[in-house]
């Protein structure tokens, strides 16, 4: 991939990563509840889903999903339902009034955080459609395809990890003071719960 094309790809990747969505909300919630360092496991899960999206589009399956309203809607509503589930679970979660402020709210297993991050990103068919429109701009069909897809994947994934961890996860630390009281925890849980439900509604209703 030529340097000028790669720079354009990197710039587009930065803009995409900074766009708020379910992944950003999931990362901020993980950072608040499990700590900044451990939030990386949720981010890794999101990147695994992103790689799946790229592979699906590269294999041409993305065209099938984009061209099949039924299949697209099944995935879309499944994704929306999963985000609503996450939102409701946060909304009804009870605060811990006796917690130590120096200790993260939860000690969620890394596997659980990875799995949730994976499904949050995977069950978003609009990401498939986006990559379907995005990727051809940076792929030259007359050149070997595998190296180009590898460069694109590594670039997009690394940028997204940096943005998610060093922007959204760090930004969540500004809300850390709310975790010191039961009322603050309740406010945070309901806020992030509502954000998950809002993203779900947007995913389900906006065409």
């Amino acid at each position: 991939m030529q340097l000028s094309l790669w720079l354009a790809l990197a710039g587009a990747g930065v803009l995409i990563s900074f766009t708020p969505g379910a992944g950003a909300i999931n990362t901020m919630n993980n950072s608040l509840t499990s700590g900044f360092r451990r939030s990386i496991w949720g981010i890794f899960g999101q990147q695994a889903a992103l790689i799946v999206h790229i592979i699906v589009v590269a294999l041409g399956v993305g065209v099938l999903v984009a061209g099949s309203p039924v299949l697209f809607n099944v995935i879309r509503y499944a994704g929306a339902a999963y985000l609503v589930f996450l939102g409701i679970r946060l909304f009804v979660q009870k605060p811990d009034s006796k917690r130590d402020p120096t200790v993260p709210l939860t000690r969620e297993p890394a596997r659980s955080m990875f799995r949730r991050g994976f499904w949050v990103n995977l069950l978003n068919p609009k990401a498939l459609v986006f990559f379907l429109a995005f990727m051809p701009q940076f792929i030259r069909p007359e050149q070997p395809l595998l190296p180009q897809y590898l460069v694109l994947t590594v670039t997009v994934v690394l940028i997204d990890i940096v943005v998610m961890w060093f922007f959204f996860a760090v930004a969540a630390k500004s809300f850390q003071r709310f975790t010191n009281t039961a009322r603050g925890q309740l406010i945070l849980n309901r806020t992030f719960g509502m954000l998950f439900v809002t993203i779900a509604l947007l995913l389900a209703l906006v065409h």
Side-chain angles (χ1 to χ4, degrees):
M1 186 176 292
Q2 295 178 346
L3 179 60
S4 58
L5 189 61
W6 181 84
L7 290 173
L9 170 64
V14 170
L15 290 176
I16 295 164
S17 295
F18 272 109
T19 303
I25 294 170
N26 186 58
T27 298
M28 293 179 72
N29 182 61
N30 284 339
S31 180
L32 275 171
T33 57
S34 298
F36 168 74
R37 290 185 179 180
R38 300 195 76 251
S39 67
I40 191 64
W41 293 108
I43 295 171
F44 284 157
Q46 292 168 198
Q47 303 317 306
L50 188 151
I51 292 172
V52 172
H53 281 155
I54 292 175
I55 292 173
V56 165
V57 170
L59 293 176
V61 181
V63 177
L64 174 64
V65 175
S68 171
V70 174
L71 184 56
F72 181 87
N73 285 329
V74 166
I75 300 174
R76 180 159 64 104
Y77 290 129
Y82 183 64
L83 292 178
V84 169
F85 164 74
L86 293 179
I88 292 174
R89 190 173 67 172
L90 274 175
F91 203 84
V92 302
Q93 183 173 307
K94 294 181 179 180
D96 180 6
S97 59
K98 298 180 180 180
R99 70 174 295 270
D100 181 351
T102 63
V103 178
L105 286 174
T106 65
R107 190 65 182 175
E108 184 179 2
R111 181 181 298 179
S112 174
M113 297 172 70
F114 181 95
R115 184 171 57 248
R116 187 173 65 253
F118 179 79
W119 287 113
V120 162
N121 260 14
L122 188 70
L123 292 174
N124 183 3
K126 294 190 177 182
L128 273 179
V129 176
F130 173 81
F131 275 113
L132 195 60
F134 172 79
M135 287 171 54
Q137 313 302 321
F138 303 98
I139 299 296
R140 297 293 178 262
E142 70 276 4
Q143 299 177 9
L145 294 178
L146 182 58
Q148 295 183 77
Y149 279 117
L150 287 175
V151 170
L152 185 147
T153 302
V154 171
T155 300
V156 171
V157 165
L158 287 180
I159 287 174
D160 202 51
I161 289 175
V162 170
V163 171
M164 286 293 155
W165 207 24
F166 292 103
F167 180 78
F168 288 110
V170 169
K173 297 178 73 175
S174 61
F175 301 104
Q176 202 74 48
R177 64 184 185 278
F178 286 98
T179 66
N180 296 335
T181 65
R183 177 176 173 78
Q185 294 172 41
L186 192 64
I187 291 173
L188 280 178
N189 287 341
R190 291 186 174 178
T191 298
F192 278 93
M194 288 301 298
L195 286 173
F196 271 121
V197 172
T198 300
I199 294 294
L201 291 175
L202 290 174
L203 180 63
L205 300 178
V206 176
H207 298 280

